[in-house]
Amino acid sequence: MSRIASALRSLPLAVLGSASARLHDLTQADARIRLPLTLNRRIGVVQVAGGVGASVVAASIASIFAHRRTGLVLGVNASAGTHNMLWHAGVGSGDAVVGPAAPATPSETRHATAGLGVAPSGLIGLELRDPSQPTTPAASRTWFDLINPRSRFFDLVITDWGVRGWQIDLSQVAVASHVICVVTRSERHAVEEAAAIVPALLGRADAPRIVFVIVDVGGGARLTPRLGILPHLGVPIVHVPYDAAAGGATPVASEDLSTAARIAHAVLAGAILAEAQLTLLPGPARIEARR
């Protein structure tokens, strides 16, 4: 934390705003990230259109959780993209597949993690796509078949769902998640399209918590403050600056991203854990927390 604080104080205020305010945000985020969980929680990262940087977001928050928390963290790729969360996190695709000898219902942690790769952050990776159809996203039933029996061995399970349409796909993502990150570009039409699915997700009988993530892929962050829909979503909204380094031909370590991007990812990770904590409240208290 001290290294980040030092970097904050060395940057122009025009870039990051008040250094003391940012340091407060980081301190609060770090405390949230380390909050203990009484039960394992499942986090889904989803987008309604491609090219929004959702896999970078998924990899970053998963790596932060794996590095800063004491429990095991599982990163799951269900998206069709080659540069998915496992790629960005540094998990080799050949080392992230459940082998044929692995038990369908593991009884021990070593069985649940057998054959899976581990990123430098400590994140354990699992690839759900069919190797014979690498450009096709994994079916939701594959997630339920492989992850449901294993999730209890992990503190957190973060899934990169990629692009999912409403109705069947997003409905299944909601069933599989305690918290969903809906990720969108910052242009007006993209934000409005992504925001349209939030009420439908929240209207479910056992609705997941939602975090709305706006990534400034096209440099259009200046547009989003003028969108009147945002204050009425009723969910946490986190703005993430896009870092061009993340779009390179090789994975980029977190320390090589811009300070602004790293801060935003930490704040997002803290927001997700705060929402995950709310899913552990008793029924009436959980309902009240949504108001």
Side-chain angles (χ1 to χ4, degrees):
M1 183 67 72
S2 60
R3 184 170 61 181
I4 296 177
S6 176
L8 273 172
R9 296 189 179 99
S10 69
L11 291 172
L13 294 185
V15 176
L16 289 177
S18 168
S20 60
R22 293 292 179 175
L23 182 56
H24 174 268
D25 289 345
L26 273 176
T27 304
Q28 183 182 62
D30 189 64
R32 288 175 168 178
I33 289 166
R34 299 178 189 274
L35 283 172
L37 294 169
T38 55
L39 295 171
N40 70 294
R41 299 288 86 177
R42 302 185 299 272
I43 316 299
V45 180
V46 70
Q47 51 191 324
V48 295
V52 305
S55 291
V56 175
V57 167
S60 295
I61 60 174
S63 297
I64 288 171
F65 292 143
H67 180 67
R68 299 192 190 180
R69 295 184 61 82
T70 56
L72 293 179
V73 178
L74 180 67
V76 181
N77 178 53
S79 76
T82 302
H83 291 182
N84 52 65
M85 73 168 295
L86 300 184
W87 184 88
H88 283 289
V91 180
S93 59
D95 299 323
V97 179
V98 175
T105 305
S107 58
E108 299 179 29
T109 302
R110 61 189 178 92
H111 295 148
T113 59
L116 302 182
V118 182
S121 64
L123 176 70
I124 298 170
L126 194 158
E127 173 65 70
L128 288 186
R129 289 177 301 172
D130 184 339
S132 66
Q133 301 178 37
T135 59
T136 302
S140 56
R141 65 178 179 274
T142 304
W143 190 98
F144 288 102
D145 289 345
L146 285 177
I147 306 304
N148 262 356
R150 289 172 169 75
S151 62
R152 64 192 178 96
F153 295 102
F154 297 91
D155 198 32
L156 290 166
V157 176
I158 296 89
T159 303
D160 179 3
W161 288 99
V163 179
R164 301 281 166 163
W166 182 237
Q167 302 299 341
I168 297 177
D169 275 354
L170 270 177
S171 179
Q172 292 300 306
V173 171
V175 172
S177 309
H178 294 106
V179 181
I180 295 180
C181 290
V182 177
V183 187
T184 177
R185 293 171 67 100
S186 58
E187 291 86 354
R188 178 184 297 272
H189 71 279
V191 172
E192 290 178 341
E193 182 181 12
I197 72 171
V198 173
L201 289 170
L202 293 177
R204 295 178 55 84
D206 191 14
R209 306 293 300 188
I210 308 291
V211 178
F212 198 71
V213 186
I214 301 173
V215 182
D216 186 23
V217 178
R222 62 188 182 279
L223 299 178
T224 54
R226 299 204 299 269
L227 283 169
I229 192 175
L230 293 181
H232 304 293
L233 278 183
V235 301
I237 299 171
V238 179
H239 291 260
V240 176
Y242 180 73
D243 194 317
T250 57
V252 177
S254 174
E255 58 266 25
D256 294 326
L257 294 174
S258 69
T259 301
R262 287 156 52 200
I263 291 172
H265 289 154
V267 170
L268 173 57
I272 291 169
L273 253 294
E275 293 300 302
Q277 285 288 332
L278 293 177
T279 68
L280 295 168
L281 295 174
R286 187 166 62 248
I287 293 171
E288 183 63 27
R290 291 189 177 279
R291 296 175 180 173

